[in-house]
Amino acid sequence: MRYGHSLTFSITNFSIFTFLVTRSFCSKARANRYASLLQLCCLQSSISCSFDRAVHAHMIASGFRPRGHTLNRLINIYCKSSKLAYARHLFDEIPQPDIVARTTLISAYSAIGDLKLAKEIFNGTLLLMRDTVFYNAMITAYSHNNDGHAAIELFRDMRRNDFSPDNFTFTSVIGALALVAENERHCQQLHCAVVKSGTGFVTSVLNALISAYVKCASSPSVSSSSLMGAARRLFDDMVERDELSWTTIITGYVKNDDLDAAREFFDGGGMCEEMVVAWNAMISGYMHRGLYKEALEMFRKMYLSGMRLDEFTYTSIISVCANAGFFQLGKELHAYILKTEVNPSPDFSLPVNNALVTLYWRCGRVDEAREIFNYMPVKDLVSWNALLSGYVNAGRINEAQSFFKEMPEKNILTWTVMISGLAQNGFAEEGLKLFNQMKILGFEPCDYAFAGAITSCAVLGTLEHGRQLHAQLIRFGFDSSLSAGNALITMYARCGVVEAAESLFLTMHCVDSVSWNAMIAALGQHGHGIQAIELFEEMLAEGILPDRISFLTVLSACSHAGLVEKGHHYFNSMYSVYGITPGEDHYARVIDLLCRAGKFTEAKSVMESMPCEPGVSIWEALLAGSRIHGIMDIGIKAAERLFELKPEHDGTYVQLSNMYAVAGRWVDVAKVRKLMRDRGVKKEPGCSWLEVESMVHVFLVDDAVHPEVHAVYNYLDQLDQEMRKLGYVPDTKFVLHDMEFDQKEYALSTHSEKLAVAFGLMKLPRGATVRVFKNLRICGDCHNAIKYMSKVVGREIVVRDGKRFHHFRNGECSCGNYW
């Protein structure tokens, strides 16, 4: 019988052992027999798990009363086979459990993370009974369960009570120190204690010290180079190094973003080439730093050397393919895994399949990602969250919502992904509802969940709700969160309070390029083009490199303010100075800038210089500029091209129809409207809304639905009389229907933005700013009328239309009539 391989007892064998035990009348001999049988139970096979209970049952049936080492062995067996209830029952029946039994139970409770019961055993043990091994067990329990402070305090207690720590003590307490160390002095104190104890030559202790220095180096409040230097000196002085020594120092350099030092160390010699963990650490480090070429080269060397590739190797390199968009390489790697890993264990297949799901959806193959998910033999929450992210990022919100409902469990990441996805894909109201549902179900929101909900407020323009979320964010302690701060900048800006956005930007603990881009965009949208450019220049002076989004925001700011020369300058600097190739969206911004300024010849020149055929956004910019300046031939050409590229878009038909209407070409207006009907294209109805007392009020053109609309019309009539005294005259050229003059004036008075502004003036407290949101571009007459309204009532009125913000104060608008 070979105990090292498997335990194969037959009924006959067990009967022989039973016979031997029952034939032994001497208690000592019987105890030895049972001890021999229990030794077999320690082999941890499927048969031994039931054999231990059989032996114990035989003891009880035969009247044998185990004591001392037999009881301890039984408790140990039950602990190792995860039968802690049996072990504790035995322990409680012992009148005076010895230190071995107590230590065994503490270790068992530690393994399952039950610190409460471990502490109960420890605190119930008299000081006279304790020994170093007993203290080690409790220190290890604290350390393994991430309570570093308690472990260190217990170590101090041990020293105060004159127990001598051994190498196991130091290994555990240094591991605990790594959880809580905040400066080099903490590491140095324990380092000194190690040297004084005489364990400074033990490899396991030195490995733990190196790990503590490495982990402390990751703290933002310390000098990582000093701590890594201390770790390196420890490593160099080691008499004997093992695989953990090498991997700890290499992963230390990697985690502290010193990949050059890690690679120098890695290539310096002395390390066994078969240390897979070190290779994986280097690949992972390159991957996280975005050095995909270096990661792939390291993987190639690892493969060619014939080393064993494990799940960590594969997940890192699949992540490289996902992040870099190397889909073909990722597919080849997938095929290689299927070919070489015939019967992978769950520990291998689960993380690798999760990485593959992410690879496929990030490369735009969501359906293939779903297929991999469906065939996964084992799934965890990471698997479900990965595919949910795929649906959300692809904008397939209906499928994402169905998948979300199917999920067997959810964590805060699940809710955050869904809330953010709804907010960013036109389902902002559903996003806010889901955020509230998450809180009702007992999930405490993280800063990213708050960012998603705040984004929903930005989309809806619900300022008061956004302010409430800002207050909750502070209460939860997330006021220093970068993602939430960036979302708040956008929320305040899109809700018309650019001053609050700017104040937040200036007081944020830290900012990144997203913060700068958000603030530049906010200033541009609110008509502060000069300030937006100044902020962009300040960003460059701070040494923050602009990205493609930065240029989109600054070009938009130039377009809204008519800063043609500045816009040209920034566009030309994209590639020549920063190496960023302009995309079609950048060309569209420049053409919009030129067309708004009436520079159609220059716009045509830019279009001809494009490396590809102009797309929808280019022709839309050209059509919008033509409408502003009444350039019929260019506008008609742009509209015809848009009819070919995007025939279902109602905006093209409406703009062309409006151009014809302004020119009095009513026959052509009728033709365009007939074309819309024939193609089944419906015009998006104009609507405006505002928030009053935490309730959103919506108004349509010629509204007859809102419960207070008649009072609004009466108030508008009163305002109209006061406005006319100041010189307001309705501009009937903005009535885009063929009707009588009196009817035209009435039609202008029923525009949704006028109704919403009037309602706000009626309902909001005296002096409060009125903030109105409109889904389409504000018409010229409404723009002029609201200027007069702001002067009559002496209040600020803010209107956000489909393109930008207009701040009306004392008869003037922030856009300077350029929009």
Side-chain angles (χ1 to χ4, degrees):
M1 190 183 300
R2 294 180 59 85
Y3 298 146
H5 291 82
S6 63
L7 187 65
T8 55
F9 283 103
S10 65
I11 298 299
T12 304
N13 289 336
F14 184 67
S15 299
I16 292 171
F17 279 113
T18 304
F19 175 76
L20 289 172
V21 171
T22 55
R23 293 282 294 178
S24 302
F25 296 99
C26 171
S27 293
K28 185 177 181 180
R30 185 182 294 187
N32 289 336
R33 296 290 185 186
Y34 279 125
S36 299
L37 291 174
L38 292 174
Q39 182 65 38
L40 298 175
C41 297
C42 294
L43 298 176
Q44 294 296 303
S45 75
S46 58
I47 297 178
S48 70
C49 288
S50 58
F51 188 56
D52 55 6
R53 284 179 291 175
V55 174
H56 190 192
H58 194 279
M59 290 182 190
I60 297 169
S62 67
F64 176 73
R65 293 180 176 276
R67 287 184 290 180
H69 73 280
T70 307
L71 278 171
N72 288 344
R73 185 165 288 179
L74 265 174
I75 291 171
N76 184 44
I77 289 168
Y78 281 134
C79 286
K80 286 184 175 177
S81 57
S82 300
K83 300 185 182 75
L84 262 67
Y86 292 157
R88 184 59 187 263
H89 182 72
L90 268 177
F91 180 85
D92 289 340
E93 286 189 343
I94 302 172
Q96 292 293 332
D98 64 12
I99 199 66
V100 175
R102 294 169 184 273
T103 304
T104 301
L105 264 184
I106 287 175
S107 298
Y109 285 133
S110 169
I112 64 169
D114 196 334
L115 277 178
K116 182 180 178 182
L117 289 177
K119 286 165 66 177
E120 180 185 296
I121 300 293
F122 184 87
N123 293 334
T125 304
L126 296 174
L127 187 62
L128 291 173
M129 291 184 67
R130 298 178 186 180
D131 60 12
T132 297
V133 177
F134 182 68
Y135 270 100
N136 289 350
M138 196 63 221
I139 291 170
T140 302
Y142 283 127
S143 180
H144 285 180
N145 288 278
N146 299 318
D147 194 344
H149 291 292
I152 293 169
E153 186 55 41
L154 187 59
F155 172 73
R156 289 173 178 159
D157 180 67
M158 176 185 180
R159 296 291 299 273
R160 283 192 294 265
N161 291 318
D162 294 327
F163 289 93
S164 299
D166 58 16
N167 55 320
F168 296 104
T169 316
F170 280 112
T171 301
S172 294
V173 79
I174 294 169
L177 174 70
L179 299 172
V180 297
E182 295 178 349
N183 58 58
E184 190 171 356
R185 183 173 55 86
H186 294 155
C187 298
Q188 289 170 340
Q189 287 174 341
L190 261 182
H191 192 168
C192 290
V194 166
V195 173
K196 290 177 182 179
S197 72
T199 58
F201 62 90
V202 179
T203 302
S204 62
V205 175
L206 292 174
N207 285 343
L209 262 176
I210 292 171
S211 180
Y213 276 115
V214 162
K215 288 186 178 178
C216 189
S218 302
S219 174
S221 60
V222 301
S223 167
S224 64
S225 60
S226 172
L227 284 157
M228 284 306 301
R232 177 63 185 269
R233 286 190 295 274
L234 262 178
F235 178 87
D236 291 339
D237 292 341
M238 288 179 74
V239 176
E240 185 179 342
R241 306 183 185 103
D242 59 12
E243 182 174 349
L244 183 59
S245 316
W246 287 93
T247 54
T248 301
I249 196 73
I250 290 173
T251 53
Y253 281 121
V254 169
K255 288 179 179 178
N256 286 283
D257 286 333
D258 194 349
L259 286 176
D260 292 335
R263 186 58 184 266
E264 182 183 346
F265 201 86
F266 186 89
D267 293 336
M271 185 190 78
C272 173
E273 288 190 357
E274 294 299 316
M275 291 184 183
V276 176
V277 177
W279 285 82
N280 288 344
M282 289 301 304
I283 293 171
S284 177
Y286 284 132
M287 184 269 292
H288 286 296
R289 283 278 298 275
L291 301 171
Y292 304 131
K293 180 181 177 182
E294 290 83 352
L296 290 171
E297 180 61 24
M298 181 68 71
F299 173 72
R300 187 184 71 84
K301 287 182 178 180
M302 188 177 180
Y303 170 76
L304 292 175
S305 68
M307 293 182 63
R308 177 180 57 86
L309 307 177
D310 62 15
E311 64 270 25
F312 300 103
T313 319
Y314 285 122
T315 52
S316 289
I317 210 66
I318 291 168
S319 296
V320 167
C321 296
N323 294 334
F326 298 151
F327 180 61
Q328 189 57 39
L329 180 60
K331 279 189 71 173
E332 291 171 6
L333 191 61
H334 187 187
Y336 179 78
I337 294 169
L338 293 174
K339 181 180 177 181
T340 56
E341 302 291 336
V342 182
N343 292 307
S345 68
D347 288 341
F348 177 94
S349 62
L350 181 60
V352 171
N353 279 326
N354 287 344
L356 285 168
V357 169
T358 302
L359 165 72
Y360 277 86
W361 76 250
R362 281 200 175 172
C363 293
R365 271 75 171 185
V366 180
D367 292 327
E368 292 171 67
R370 180 61 189 258
E371 193 172 344
I372 293 170
F373 175 87
N374 289 342
Y375 281 101
M376 286 173 66
V378 180
K379 301 180 182 74
D380 63 3
L381 190 52
V382 175
S383 322
W384 289 87
N385 283 341
L387 191 57
L388 178 68
S389 298
Y391 282 127
V392 165
N393 279 271
R396 293 162 62 166
I397 297 300
N398 290 334
E399 290 165 278
Q401 288 177 303
S402 298
F403 189 75
F404 179 82
K405 291 175 183 176
E406 289 175 30
M407 294 179 70
E409 62 174 316
K410 300 175 179 70
N411 63 4
I412 189 63
L413 176 62
T414 315
W415 291 91
T416 300
V417 167
M418 198 67 233
I419 291 164
S420 299
L422 290 167
Q424 293 165 8
N425 285 277
F427 298 88
E429 190 172 348
E430 289 86 342
L432 280 177
K433 288 178 181 176
L434 198 65
F435 180 79
N436 292 329
Q437 183 185 344
M438 176 190 73
K439 291 199 295 181
I440 290 168
L441 291 174
F443 288 89
E444 187 172 297
C446 65
D447 54 336
Y448 293 104
F450 270 111
I454 291 165
T455 300
S456 294
C457 293
V459 173
L460 295 171
T462 52
L463 176 62
E464 290 309 314
H465 201 149
R467 282 174 169 159
Q468 290 173 15
L469 287 174
H470 190 178
Q472 291 176 33
L473 189 79
I474 294 170
R475 184 163 56 85
F476 276 90
F478 296 134
D479 47 316
S480 61
S481 165
L482 185 58
S483 60
N486 291 340
L488 282 168
I489 290 173
T490 301
M491 185 277 292
Y492 280 119
R494 293 195 66 179
C495 288
V497 196
V498 69
E499 299 84 4
E502 191 168 17
S503 176
L504 188 70
F505 174 78
L506 293 173
T507 56
M508 281 174 68
H509 294 276
C510 63
V511 293
D512 61 3
S513 60
V514 177
S515 318
W516 288 92
N517 291 345
M519 196 62 235
I520 293 166
L523 291 169
Q525 287 173 343
H526 284 266
H528 306 305
I530 299 296
Q531 294 95 315
I533 287 172
E534 288 173 351
L535 190 63
F536 181 74
E537 293 291 348
E538 187 180 335
M539 181 181 84
L540 300 181
E542 291 279 342
I544 297 174
L545 289 175
D547 55 20
R548 64 184 316 278
I549 303 299
S550 307
F551 282 104
L552 284 175
T553 59
V554 77
L555 288 172
S556 293
C558 292
S559 179
H560 288 313
L563 303 171
V564 177
E565 290 185 11
K566 277 289 185 183
H568 248 311
H569 165 72
Y570 290 129
F571 180 75
N572 292 332
S573 71
M574 279 186 68
Y575 186 77
S576 62
V577 178
Y578 300 102
I580 300 173
T581 302
E584 185 176 321
D585 45 1
H586 296 99
Y587 279 100
R589 296 291 198 284
V590 171
I591 290 167
D592 183 62
L593 166 70
L594 294 170
C595 290
R596 282 177 182 272
K599 299 181 178 294
F600 289 93
T601 303
E602 290 89 333
K604 181 182 178 183
S605 176
V606 171
M607 288 178 67
E608 290 172 349
S609 71
M610 288 177 61
C612 57
E613 282 293 314
V616 170
S617 58
I618 304 294
W619 291 108
E620 284 180 340
L622 196 64
L623 176 59
S626 302
R627 181 192 53 76
I628 291 169
H629 293 282
I631 312 297
M632 292 295 300
D633 55 338
I634 296 176
I636 292 169
K637 180 181 178 182
E640 288 174 347
R641 191 73 185 94
L642 285 167
F643 288 150
E644 296 172 10
L645 295 172
K646 199 175 180 181
E648 74 282 1
H649 181 50
D650 66 320
T652 306
Y653 300 89
V654 172
Q655 290 213 59
L656 181 60
S657 173
N658 290 351
M659 285 182 69
Y660 283 137
V662 170
R665 295 170 57 172
W666 300 110
V667 174
D668 291 319
V669 170
K671 288 179 180 178
V672 173
R673 290 179 179 170
K674 182 178 183 302
L675 184 62
M676 284 184 74
R677 290 194 299 271
D678 293 344
R679 292 182 175 179
V681 179
K682 292 185 178 180
K683 177 184 180 295
E684 180 184 1
C687 70
S688 301
W689 64 96
L690 77 164
E691 188 179 7
V692 176
E693 296 180 351
S694 301
M695 184 174 179
V696 176
H697 295 262
V698 181
F699 292 88
L700 301 173
V701 176
D702 198 18
D703 200 310
V705 176
H706 192 278
E708 297 188 62
V709 73
H710 295 298
V712 171
Y713 284 129
N714 290 335
Y715 182 66
L716 269 177
D717 286 341
Q718 296 172 27
L719 276 179
D720 183 67
Q721 294 174 24
E722 297 298 321
M723 289 156 56
R724 288 177 186 265
K725 290 177 183 177
L726 295 177
Y728 167 68
V729 177
D731 193 343
T732 56
K733 76 177 181 183
F734 290 101
V735 178
L736 305 174
H737 297 274
D738 191 9
M739 58 178 66
E740 297 297 326
F741 182 80
D742 291 343
Q743 292 177 311
K744 286 185 177 184
E745 285 202 359
Y746 173 78
L748 288 174
S749 70
T750 65
H751 281 195
S752 66
E753 54 265 56
K754 285 196 181 85
L755 300 177
V757 168
F759 184 77
L761 293 172
M762 289 169 53
K763 292 295 182 179
L764 291 170
R766 185 180 298 274
T769 300
V770 177
R771 293 183 174 87
V772 170
F773 304 88
K774 180 176 169 64
N775 61 334
L776 304 176
R777 186 177 180 271
I778 188 171
C779 89
D781 178 70
C782 286
H783 188 270
N784 190 39
I786 296 171
K787 286 198 296 184
Y788 278 97
M789 287 182 192
S790 70
K791 192 167 185 177
V792 167
V793 298
R795 290 166 70 171
E796 180 182 5
I797 300 169
V798 180
V799 178
R800 186 186 86 185
D801 67 9
K803 292 291 185 182
R804 61 173 299 164
F805 279 89
H806 302 266
H807 291 254
F808 299 93
R809 295 187 187 94
N810 196 31
E812 300 294 333
C813 180
S814 59
C815 73
N817 298 327
Y818 187 89
W819 85 96

